[in-house]
Amino acid sequence: MIVGAGLMGAASAWALARQGRPVVVLEQYTAGHDRGSSHGSARIVRRAYGDELYTRLTGQAFELWRELENVSQTPLLRMLGGLDFGPERHVPTVAEHLRTNGVPHEVLPAIEAERRWPGMRFSGDVIFHPEAGTVDSAAAVETMLAEAEKHGALVRRSTAVQAIRPGDGHADVVCADGSTLRGSTVVAAAGAWVSSLVGGLVDLPALRVTRQQVFHFPRLDPAAPPWPSVIHEEVRPIYHLAGGRDGGSEDDRKIAEHDGGVVAEAGTTGPVLDESRDRVVAYVREWLPGLDPTPRREATCLYTQTPSEDFLLDRAGSLVVCSPCSGHGAKFAPLIGELVASLVTGSGVGVPERFSLASHNSGRVGNVSF
């Protein structure tokens, strides 16, 4: 049984169902809701990381994204390449991780990057790698759930879960409508709701839920080729990418601070903060002269972060805790599903030790350079 049908819950359902496992997915909202962390048409996918483990895992995730596209005949990835730069981005380290993992890439001086991608400004060396772009998050959720249903999974929407009660070799799930469901294992993939559901059952690290602000800026030349996705770490980490459907007919640029949100409660959606908008507008004026500096659209989404920003993925008895996001987990979704399946079936093969509850609570994890 899986609680939560966002990216991670949907991926877990797909992984388990295609192994022939009985799967029931419980989702408190209807399809396409915007109250969590998995809505929207564009999230960055990339190979570049400041941490070798995640660079390696992105390769495994890409293989599964392609498999999902193939079996469903649904395009989900938009490969536009990726750019990384800035004094806090540790360009030589990122480049070395790409080299170690056999990922094609170039290191360019800022002036060459500006020539190649007019309308953007750069500082210092810039890494470009083609194995990057965006994934349609909302479409990915529905595609993975549909593929899981083809293999017999049952998806129950508008079914809120009030409590999980692990037992000896089973776990009960108490729903808001008063019903109780029993499964041999329950996967808590509930994003910002994980703490309230399982905080009293396992020793969770401190999970911080924040509401992030996202803005879409018009391109001055909508007919020009879209830019690669960008990770820029100067003072505040900034990311931007092609907006896809959320960017409207002109593919407005989606821009946000990686961790510029405010502490929030699960399920809250707004409002967008003036100070966040002002900072991002100032960024656009300084670094992106190819954009109109007045945002055309804005939205919010939730981050659920561990102190280190490492993923949290572990099993305790009949409960599997799946809280891998930390603001950078979307690109790994199908791989997270496979890792959840390995925990459910008892092998735990492939799950990095540093994702465990014990590692988080002992402080043995490091700080992830996203």
Side-chain angles (χ1 to χ4, degrees), residues 13 24 42 72 111 144 163 203 228 236 250 273 299 304:
V24 177
S72 67
I111 191 169
M144 288 187 285
D203 187 14
R236 286 175 174 266
E250 296 185 345
L273 302 178
T304 305

Side-chain angles (χ1 to χ4, degrees), residues 236-257:
R236 286 175 174 266
I238 293 278
Y239 65 89
H240 53 98
L241 59 153
R245 290 191 317 278
D246 294 346
S249 61
E250 296 185 345
D251 199 18
D252 289 356
R253 193 74 176 173
K254 175 181 175 180
I255 307 180
E257 299 169 304

Side-chain angles (χ1 to χ4, degrees), residues 46 49 54 258 309 311 325-332 368 370:
R46 55 189 164 92
Y49 258 85
Y54 288 93
H258 170 58
E309 297 189 16
F311 299 163
C325 297
S326 285
H328 66 110
K331 68 184 72 65
F332 297 94
V368 175
F370 90 114

Side-chain angles (χ1 to χ4, degrees), residues 56 89 149 197 341:
R56 178 159 32 93
R89 190 59 186 146
E149 288 178 309
L197 280 175

